[in-house]
mmCIF file of all heavy atoms in Angstrom:
data_model
loop_
_atom_site.group_PDB
_atom_site.id
_atom_site.type_symbol
_atom_site.label_atom_id
_atom_site.label_comp_id
_atom_site.label_asym_id
_atom_site.label_seq_id
_atom_site.Cartn_x
_atom_site.Cartn_y
_atom_site.Cartn_z
ATOM 1 N N LEU A 15 27.542 -4.122 -5.265
ATOM 2 C CA LEU A 15 27.973 -5.247 -4.468
ATOM 3 C C LEU A 15 27.462 -6.586 -5.054
ATOM 4 O O LEU A 15 26.355 -6.637 -5.592
ATOM 5 C CB LEU A 15 27.439 -5.034 -3.077
ATOM 6 C CG LEU A 15 28.107 -3.899 -2.259
ATOM 7 C CD1 LEU A 15 27.294 -3.849 -0.900
ATOM 8 C CD2 LEU A 15 29.495 -4.131 -2.041
ATOM 9 N N ASP A 16 28.181 -7.627 -4.805
ATOM 10 C CA ASP A 16 27.812 -9.053 -5.205
ATOM 11 C C ASP A 16 27.346 -9.684 -4.011
ATOM 12 O O ASP A 16 27.070 -10.951 -4.044
ATOM 13 C CB ASP A 16 28.935 -9.704 -5.874
ATOM 14 C CG ASP A 16 29.278 -8.981 -7.230
ATOM 15 O OD1 ASP A 16 28.432 -8.444 -7.914
ATOM 16 O OD2 ASP A 16 30.542 -9.069 -7.523
ATOM 17 N N LEU A 17 27.211 -9.136 -2.844
ATOM 18 C CA LEU A 17 26.925 -9.840 -1.620
ATOM 19 C C LEU A 17 25.551 -10.175 -1.488
ATOM 20 O O LEU A 17 25.095 -11.089 -0.668
ATOM 21 C CB LEU A 17 27.292 -8.932 -0.409
ATOM 22 C CG LEU A 17 28.711 -8.531 -0.313
ATOM 23 C CD1 LEU A 17 29.122 -7.519 0.789
ATOM 24 C CD2 LEU A 17 29.683 -9.778 -0.079
ATOM 25 N N ILE A 18 24.684 -9.489 -2.241
ATOM 26 C CA ILE A 18 23.207 -9.714 -2.194
ATOM 27 C C ILE A 18 22.702 -10.193 -3.523
ATOM 28 O O ILE A 18 23.023 -9.645 -4.525
ATOM 29 C CB ILE A 18 22.385 -8.500 -1.693
ATOM 30 C CG1 ILE A 18 22.879 -8.066 -0.338
ATOM 31 C CG2 ILE A 18 20.961 -8.796 -1.727
ATOM 32 C CD1 ILE A 18 22.234 -6.851 0.133
ATOM 33 N N ARG A 89 26.732 -16.670 13.507
ATOM 34 C CA ARG A 89 26.957 -15.567 12.492
ATOM 35 C C ARG A 89 25.653 -15.153 11.963
ATOM 36 O O ARG A 89 25.472 -13.942 11.665
ATOM 37 C CB ARG A 89 27.735 -16.224 11.312
ATOM 38 C CG ARG A 89 28.072 -15.310 10.228
ATOM 39 C CD ARG A 89 28.935 -15.954 9.152
ATOM 40 N NE ARG A 89 29.350 -14.901 8.086
ATOM 41 C CZ ARG A 89 28.517 -14.426 7.160
ATOM 42 N NH1 ARG A 89 27.364 -14.938 7.058
ATOM 43 N NH2 ARG A 89 28.951 -13.623 6.299
ATOM 44 N N GLN A 90 24.517 -16.089 11.837
ATOM 45 C CA GLN A 90 23.387 -15.556 11.301
ATOM 46 C C GLN A 90 22.622 -14.625 12.376
ATOM 47 O O GLN A 90 21.888 -13.737 11.975
ATOM 48 C CB GLN A 90 22.404 -16.687 10.902
ATOM 49 C CG GLN A 90 22.915 -17.416 9.613
ATOM 50 C CD GLN A 90 23.081 -16.380 8.521
ATOM 51 O OE1 GLN A 90 24.147 -16.018 8.214
ATOM 52 N NE2 GLN A 90 21.934 -16.033 8.054
ATOM 53 N N TYR A 92 24.092 -12.588 14.338
ATOM 54 C CA TYR A 92 24.742 -11.311 14.111
ATOM 55 C C TYR A 92 24.196 -10.588 12.950
ATOM 56 O O TYR A 92 23.933 -9.365 12.901
ATOM 57 C CB TYR A 92 26.196 -11.484 13.987
ATOM 58 C CG TYR A 92 27.008 -10.218 13.739
ATOM 59 C CD1 TYR A 92 27.089 -9.293 14.774
ATOM 60 C CD2 TYR A 92 27.500 -9.912 12.468
ATOM 61 C CE1 TYR A 92 27.848 -8.026 14.434
ATOM 62 C CE2 TYR A 92 28.114 -8.796 12.189
ATOM 63 C CZ TYR A 92 28.320 -7.777 13.189
ATOM 64 O OH TYR A 92 28.919 -6.658 12.911
ATOM 65 N N GLN A 93 24.038 -11.280 11.788
ATOM 66 C CA GLN A 93 23.578 -10.703 10.564
ATOM 67 C C GLN A 93 22.058 -10.204 10.824
ATOM 68 O O GLN A 93 21.735 -9.048 10.323
ATOM 69 C CB GLN A 93 23.529 -11.726 9.389
ATOM 70 C CG GLN A 93 24.849 -12.092 8.955
ATOM 71 C CD GLN A 93 25.598 -11.093 8.180
ATOM 72 O OE1 GLN A 93 25.163 -9.957 7.976
ATOM 73 N NE2 GLN A 93 26.771 -11.540 7.661
ATOM 74 N N LEU A 94 21.283 -11.067 11.574
ATOM 75 C CA LEU A 94 19.908 -10.499 11.819
ATOM 76 C C LEU A 94 19.937 -9.274 12.784
ATOM 77 O O LEU A 94 19.160 -8.303 12.615
ATOM 78 C CB LEU A 94 19.112 -11.688 12.512
ATOM 79 C CG LEU A 94 18.744 -12.938 11.701
ATOM 80 C CD1 LEU A 94 18.055 -13.927 12.528
ATOM 81 C CD2 LEU A 94 17.901 -12.547 10.500
ATOM 82 N N GLU A 96 22.191 -7.005 13.057
ATOM 83 C CA GLU A 96 22.599 -5.821 12.266
ATOM 84 C C GLU A 96 21.438 -5.271 11.383
ATOM 85 O O GLU A 96 21.483 -4.053 11.134
ATOM 86 C CB GLU A 96 23.781 -6.185 11.325
ATOM 87 C CG GLU A 96 25.053 -6.563 12.060
ATOM 88 C CD GLU A 96 25.704 -5.222 12.579
ATOM 89 O OE1 GLU A 96 26.308 -4.620 11.789
ATOM 90 O OE2 GLU A 96 25.515 -4.930 13.761
ATOM 91 N N ASN A 97 20.501 -6.008 11.112
ATOM 92 C CA ASN A 97 19.358 -5.592 10.377
ATOM 93 C C ASN A 97 18.042 -5.398 11.239
ATOM 94 O O ASN A 97 16.967 -5.305 10.775
ATOM 95 C CB ASN A 97 19.156 -6.502 9.193
ATOM 96 C CG ASN A 97 20.086 -6.303 8.155
ATOM 97 O OD1 ASN A 97 20.005 -5.502 7.241
ATOM 98 N ND2 ASN A 97 21.176 -7.250 8.142
ATOM 99 N N VAL A 168 19.874 -2.305 3.905
ATOM 100 C CA VAL A 168 20.240 -3.636 4.415
ATOM 101 C C VAL A 168 21.724 -3.710 4.774
ATOM 102 O O VAL A 168 22.493 -3.229 3.965
ATOM 103 C CB VAL A 168 19.884 -4.731 3.317
ATOM 104 C CG1 VAL A 168 20.295 -6.132 3.876
ATOM 105 C CG2 VAL A 168 18.451 -4.669 2.998
ATOM 106 N N ARG A 169 22.055 -4.202 5.876
ATOM 107 C CA ARG A 169 23.462 -4.372 6.242
ATOM 108 C C ARG A 169 23.910 -5.676 5.926
ATOM 109 O O ARG A 169 23.419 -6.653 6.471
ATOM 110 C CB ARG A 169 23.676 -4.000 7.747
ATOM 111 C CG ARG A 169 25.100 -4.001 8.136
ATOM 112 C CD ARG A 169 25.304 -3.578 9.644
ATOM 113 N NE ARG A 169 24.979 -2.181 9.801
ATOM 114 C CZ ARG A 169 25.778 -1.183 9.730
ATOM 115 N NH1 ARG A 169 27.079 -1.461 9.248
ATOM 116 N NH2 ARG A 169 25.533 0.044 9.878
ATOM 117 N N VAL A 170 24.916 -5.808 5.091
ATOM 118 C CA VAL A 170 25.592 -7.176 4.729
ATOM 119 C C VAL A 170 27.034 -7.118 4.958
ATOM 120 O O VAL A 170 27.789 -6.360 4.452
ATOM 121 C CB VAL A 170 25.251 -7.374 3.261
ATOM 122 C CG1 VAL A 170 25.791 -8.809 2.863
ATOM 123 C CG2 VAL A 170 23.803 -7.384 3.025
ATOM 124 N N ASP A 171 27.547 -7.890 5.845
ATOM 125 C CA ASP A 171 29.011 -8.058 6.156
ATOM 126 C C ASP A 171 29.543 -6.731 6.483
ATOM 127 O O ASP A 171 30.558 -6.300 5.837
ATOM 128 C CB ASP A 171 29.686 -8.726 4.983
ATOM 129 C CG ASP A 171 29.273 -10.200 4.849
ATOM 130 O OD1 ASP A 171 28.833 -10.777 5.901
ATOM 131 O OD2 ASP A 171 29.442 -10.750 3.683
ATOM 132 N N ASP A 172 28.925 -5.948 7.305
ATOM 133 C CA ASP A 172 29.460 -4.699 7.859
ATOM 134 C C ASP A 172 29.405 -3.594 6.711
ATOM 135 O O ASP A 172 29.912 -2.470 6.873
ATOM 136 C CB ASP A 172 30.780 -4.686 8.342
ATOM 137 C CG ASP A 172 30.912 -5.669 9.579
ATOM 138 O OD1 ASP A 172 29.895 -5.568 10.396
ATOM 139 O OD2 ASP A 172 31.843 -6.275 9.724
ATOM 140 N N GLN A 173 28.663 -3.787 5.712
ATOM 141 C CA GLN A 173 28.361 -2.790 4.629
ATOM 142 C C GLN A 173 26.858 -2.379 4.489
ATOM 143 O O GLN A 173 26.127 -3.461 4.625
ATOM 144 C CB GLN A 173 28.933 -3.166 3.253
ATOM 145 C CG GLN A 173 30.456 -3.469 3.285
ATOM 146 C CD GLN A 173 30.895 -3.644 1.834
ATOM 147 O OE1 GLN A 173 30.861 -2.814 0.999
ATOM 148 N NE2 GLN A 173 31.449 -4.819 1.656
ATOM 149 N N VAL A 174 26.573 -1.326 4.380
ATOM 150 C CA VAL A 174 25.081 -0.886 4.331
ATOM 151 C C VAL A 174 24.798 -0.663 2.812
ATOM 152 O O VAL A 174 25.428 0.123 2.131
ATOM 153 C CB VAL A 174 24.786 0.456 5.147
ATOM 154 C CG1 VAL A 174 23.389 0.878 4.942
ATOM 155 C CG2 VAL A 174 25.142 0.192 6.530
ATOM 156 N N VAL A 175 23.895 -1.397 2.384
ATOM 157 C CA VAL A 175 23.389 -1.301 0.947
ATOM 158 C C VAL A 175 22.013 -0.763 0.956
ATOM 159 O O VAL A 175 21.201 -1.142 1.626
ATOM 160 C CB VAL A 175 23.364 -2.739 0.328
ATOM 161 C CG1 VAL A 175 22.918 -2.609 -1.079
ATOM 162 C CG2 VAL A 175 24.752 -3.434 0.494
ATOM 163 N N PRO A 237 19.995 -13.562 0.525
ATOM 164 C CA PRO A 237 20.565 -14.788 1.112
ATOM 165 C C PRO A 237 21.544 -14.740 2.271
ATOM 166 O O PRO A 237 21.546 -15.608 3.021
ATOM 167 C CB PRO A 237 21.223 -15.367 -0.229
ATOM 168 C CG PRO A 237 21.518 -14.301 -1.080
ATOM 169 C CD PRO A 237 20.399 -13.356 -0.821
ATOM 170 N N SER A 238 22.024 -13.452 2.445
ATOM 171 C CA SER A 238 22.859 -13.271 3.607
ATOM 172 C C SER A 238 22.179 -13.327 4.830
ATOM 173 O O SER A 238 22.668 -13.579 6.000
ATOM 174 C CB SER A 238 23.603 -11.957 3.537
ATOM 175 O OG SER A 238 22.678 -10.952 3.479
ATOM 176 N N LEU A 239 20.808 -13.236 4.811
ATOM 177 C CA LEU A 239 19.874 -13.284 6.006
ATOM 178 C C LEU A 239 19.151 -14.582 6.087
ATOM 179 O O LEU A 239 18.111 -14.643 6.810
ATOM 180 C CB LEU A 239 18.905 -12.034 6.017
ATOM 181 C CG LEU A 239 19.622 -10.645 6.098
ATOM 182 C CD1 LEU A 239 18.593 -9.725 6.115
ATOM 183 C CD2 LEU A 239 20.553 -10.493 7.264
#
Side-chain angles (χ1 to χ4, degrees):
L15 289 176
D16 296 327
L17 298 172
I18 300 181
R89 184 179 183 279
Q90 287 308 101
Y92 174 76
Q93 295 281 9
L94 292 176
E96 288 289 277
N97 288 279
V168 179
R169 185 177 289 273
V170 183
D171 294 335
D172 297 323
Q173 298 186 63
V174 178
V175 182
S238 63
L239 299 179

